[in-house]
Amino acid sequence: AKDLIAKLQAGEDFKKLSAAHSQDPGTKATGDLGYFTRDMMVKEFADAAFSMQKGEISPVPVKTQFGYHVIQVMDKRTRPVPDFAAMKPT
């Protein structure tokens, strides 16, 4: 994972490295997890991902119960506040 981080910092493509090295069959092709909220991920992963800025690559591998992860934050967005009608009990 440290070697992959060094390659990413040198400008190599995250998708290509993910396809070649990821052990996660769900995201192996692109490495893309899509948008997620903090509560959708294990604490260690969420803490690392949500402390990073858009475009940033994790400086060290992130260890979780599932193994080691290299994170690159591609985008961030704020979840829109639901309107009253959507939250009103039926």
Side-chain angles (χ1 to χ4, degrees):
K2 289 178 182 178
D3 290 339
L4 295 176
I5 291 171
K7 289 178 180 183
L8 288 168
Q9 290 172 337
E12 290 198 38
D13 185 67
F14 191 95
K15 290 180 184 181
K16 289 179 183 175
L17 290 174
S18 177
H21 300 282
S22 179
Q23 296 177 358
D24 179 1
T27 61
K28 184 173 179 68
T30 64
D32 192 348
L33 296 174
Y35 289 101
F36 56 86
T37 58
R38 183 180 284 275
D39 62 331
M40 293 171 67
M41 300 295 171
V42 294
K43 182 180 180 351
E44 300 86 357
F45 190 96
D47 287 350
F50 282 89
S51 71
M52 296 167 55
Q53 299 300 313
K54 183 177 172 181
E56 190 175 356
I57 298 165
S58 55
V60 295
V62 178
K63 184 178 181 196
T64 73
Q65 67 201 42
F66 301 105
Y68 288 91
H69 310 273
V70 176
I71 303 170
Q72 181 178 24
V73 176
M74 300 304 294
D75 194 21
K76 286 187 169 196
R77 67 181 184 189
T78 302
R79 189 181 334 183
V81 177
D83 64 8
F84 181 74
M87 297 303 295
K88 185 178 177 183
T90 54

